[in-house]
Amino acid sequence: MTDDALAPLRRQFDLTWALFEYHLERLEPQDHLWEPAPECWTLHLHGGVWVPDFAEEEPDPVPAPTAAWVGWHIGWWWGTTMELLQGRQALPPEAVHWPGPENAVEWLRSFRGRWLALLPDLDPAAPAPFPWPEGTGHTVTDTVAWVNAELMKNAAEVGQLRILRAAGATGSS
């Protein structure tokens, strides 16, 4: 992306990341799998691999996620975005492997580094390969703005879960 096209979105990303980093710095391994409610989406260890609760169609009501699930979800949507922006295939949910509570924060930080390395190579006016269907008129600039919004939403979710657990909220575990 050109410096002019990137500048406002990059500043927005930096602010969003700073808000996320505030919570990442404070996350404890036990925060990740804390279940805030009986009806919950989380990750389960099967054969050494963390497997997320997932449905192609979102259930109604939507289960409350754990911080682990939100982290996995960040890895899925952000990883898929970067793959598609580089002309590769979308990542199916089962291809995204959350590393577990001890390594989750560094894993999430790795997406930031990959994203910042990719941004200068993007054509802001090119058609967006994600998250909109083809032919909608959205551009890569729209995708970059969407990443900022999605990350801000997920950072707030992780932060709220961390704060509730630290405040002594009684979840289901």
Side-chain angles (χ1 to χ4, degrees):
M1 291 188 116
T2 65
D3 287 341
D4 290 346
L6 177 62
L9 293 176
R10 175 60 198 273
R11 286 191 301 271
Q12 184 185 51
F13 176 81
D14 289 344
L15 172 62
T16 299
W17 187 263
L19 296 170
F20 194 28
E21 189 63 42
Y22 175 84
H23 295 295
L24 291 177
E25 290 172 352
R26 291 159 179 79
L27 274 176
E28 300 290 332
Q30 61 272 25
D31 292 334
H32 294 277
L33 294 167
W34 177 71
E35 295 183 1
E39 192 63 34
C40 191
W41 271 358
T42 191
L43 285 92
H44 310 274
L45 194 55
H46 293 289
V49 175
W50 288 96
V51 178
D53 294 325
F54 183 77
E56 286 295 328
E57 265 189 53
E58 213 168 69
D60 185 20
V62 176
T66 61
W69 191 92
V70 175
W72 166 82
H73 186 252
I74 291 169
W76 180 39
W77 67 254
W78 211 352
T80 291
T81 301
M82 288 188 277
E83 290 296 308
L84 291 170
L85 285 170
Q86 295 173 85
R88 299 192 287 256
Q89 295 295 313
L91 298 172
E94 63 274 7
V96 177
H97 299 285
W98 185 71
E102 298 294 332
N103 299 308
V105 170
E106 286 310 311
W107 183 70
L108 289 166
R109 287 178 175 141
S110 75
F111 285 91
R112 177 184 179 267
R114 290 173 45 207
W115 183 244
L116 293 177
L118 176 62
L119 285 177
D121 297 331
L122 298 178
D123 174 0
F130 188 74
W132 302 277
E134 232 180 283
T136 61
H138 289 92
T139 65
V140 167
T141 298
D142 294 310
T143 297
V144 173
W146 173 82
V147 165
N148 290 350
E150 188 71 16
L151 183 61
M152 188 176 295
K153 175 186 74 83
N154 288 157
E157 291 169 334
V158 168
Q160 189 66 39
L161 288 163
R162 184 191 66 77
I163 289 167
L164 284 171
R165 185 175 180 283
T170 54
S172 65
S173 66

